[in-house]
Amino acid sequence: MKGICGRKGDRTIKKWYRVQKLKAIFILALAVVFSNAVVSYSNTVKLIHNQQWLTYSYKVISQIESIQFTLKDTETAQRSYLITADADDLQTYLAAERQTNSNIQNFKKLTANNYQKQQWIAFLEPKITNKLNILQQEIYLKKNQGLEAVRQQILSEKDNQSSKEIQQLINDSLKAEKNLLQQEMQQSQANSQKAIVTFFIAAIVDLVLVALLYDLLWRYLRQLQQTELALRQSENRLRAMIDAEPECIQLIARDGTLLEINAEGLAMMEVESADILIGKPVDAVIVPEYKAAFADLHESVCQGNKETLEFEIVGFKGTRRYIETHAVPLYNESDGTFIHLALTRDITHQKQAEQKIHEQGLLLDVSTDAILVRNIHNQILFWNQGAERLYGWKAEEVVGKNVLQLLYKDSPQLEDAYLQVMNTGEWRGELHQLTREGKVIIVESRWTLIPDENGQPKSILSANTEITQQKQLEAQLLRSQRLESIGTLAGGIAHDLNNILSPILMSVQILQKKLPDPQSQQILQTLENNVKRGANLLKQVLSFARGIEDKRTIVEIQPLIAEIEQIIAQTFPKSIICQIDIPKNLWYVRGDITQLHQVLINLVINARDAMPNGGILRIAAENLVIGEHSTQINIDAKVGSYIAIVVTDTGMGMSSEVQQRIFEPFFTTKEVGKGTGLGLSTALGIIKNYGGFVNVYSQLGRGTQFTVYLPASTFRDTHSLSQQLESVIKDG
């Protein structure tokens, strides 16, 4: 293996050196060719520049000579006119004069960029102008003064001096320009010879380079042929490997047409030859509802992203398959873009299994019971919607967590249940569990052990049904039966005690008449008061035990609560704030106003005693209709209209143990001498006698709430009350 890797490494290094050598030679050839081109260009530019200078010098010399010749022609034509006075000579003179001026202007344009020649023409032009003016003056003298005056003018020193200066300037300039022209011709000839030599040298170097490059190119072509052969062999091996791949491999162009597909892909598409698919859109077999998603995936992959998609196809023979494709971008070196390489596998069986599991999960979610599965390490694996509704946690919040830490605070039954389910495979019983809000609930739980394929314990399936309300109703029923038994017993005892106290009271009254002295009267009065107090206590016991014979009328609750509010304001500590919330449209109750007064007084006094340091006492009332579903709130609740009176305090609250016993006769948490324990039991007796019931909610340190439900009076009762009031008004 090391030898193979070493040979591959050597071939890679040699290939790299060969490529670098070719690059270096190619760069050298380019540098030489570029240098030759630069030298040739430079020589050519010099030749062109010399030729331009030669042409320019010829033009300058020609223009100077033109100025010289036209000036001579002008003077010759003027002399001929002076001698012959021929009009044709005058016209020739005038034409030569205009040509002279024109030649001067042409010379200025030709030498516009030559400062030195512009200075020369600027110096020459005034002299030529002056000479032309002299010639014009001579013509004028000829016309007005005759030939003699002209002759004297011509022989004057001024005329001869002007002609000599002009001639000297022109001759000097011509001489200088001809010398410069000669130098430029020599320089041009030298440059031409240099360019010819350079051209031949460059041609020889280029021929050598061409030969060298031809040799390298020939060798490179041979290597390309060998490489192409190796690539063809590698392609054949790769094609064999791809066709042996058990998953479909596709190469998709940017326009969505198929470029390549392996044998497994042909089987998946249900075709015999790739020619049927190559060049065709790949989405032709995709189910219509998935085509948009596949188009988005293809576009994303062609932008250089990796994507995954599950979709459904229909083969050419009609077979439907669910497939999963893993798409990756493949860089296209020809244009720098990406094409789509798809690795696709058939997941039809997997999707069918998932669908079956999903349907089973839906069946579990339809169940109202809380169904959960945990492994033998108590980690939650499954959590249905019934569990979400019962406990308050979503499935994604609890999966993987420890069920003991989540649902149980302290339950001694868990260890026994776990041992039994591991030994027998199942367990059934009641458990106390916690909800997300920390509320304790009671559930009837069924555990079933689920083994793995080897028969070893794998997980535990639990189905839990909440029975909290059922247990509460059972407790209320037991408490009602216990109170009924206690009431029967207390009634018998109270009746016997009342029979015992009656003779004592009669004897005291007789002794008061026979013993008139103050000391005896005081003792007898004390005895009478204690006997009457005992009789009143027995009366409360009898009221609790069998109810009180009362005269019921239609009672309005709002004035009754207003009276209670007045008593609270006058007698309760100022640290207790009373809040009243009574609607104006509150219904009526049929009952004894004195007994109802006693019920409310007992409740507010208990609230006062629960707030020794002050707090808020709130009394509220509302109209309420209890339906079939709401009758589960209390065993004594019945369908109908009720008035709910709520007395709430912010006091010390009660424990669950105390709440179970508060309506028992003679049970009290107050100090000795501050309560008899008959207040709430008497109040409950009155309320139940009216067909009502009481609910209690309390938390230690957070206060207590008593809700008294009293049946509301019917329309017929209210109507009869109105008739009674009308009759009283008429009688009055």
Side-chain angles (χ1 to χ4, degrees), residues 187-232:
Q187 182 66 33
S188 176
Q189 187 176 7
N191 289 338
S192 297
Q193 294 176 353
K194 182 180 178 181
I196 292 171
V197 174
T198 304
F199 173 77
F200 279 111
I201 294 173
I204 293 171
V205 173
D206 289 342
L207 286 174
V208 173
L209 285 175
V210 167
L212 180 61
L213 288 175
Y214 175 79
D215 180 67
L216 292 175
L217 182 61
W218 182 75
R219 293 183 181 182
Y220 185 67
L221 288 175
R222 287 188 60 189
Q223 291 175 359
L224 282 180
Q225 291 175 352
Q226 295 175 356
T227 303
E228 183 179 0
L229 179 60
L231 284 176
R232 192 178 298 111

Side-chain angles (χ1 to χ4, degrees), residues 513-532:
K513 294 179 180 180
K514 292 184 177 182
L515 300 173
D517 59 284
Q519 184 177 3
S520 298
Q521 288 292 322
Q522 184 178 1
I523 294 172
L524 292 173
Q525 186 63 44
T526 302
L527 183 59
E528 182 181 8
N529 292 336
N530 283 298
V531 171
K532 288 182 178 180

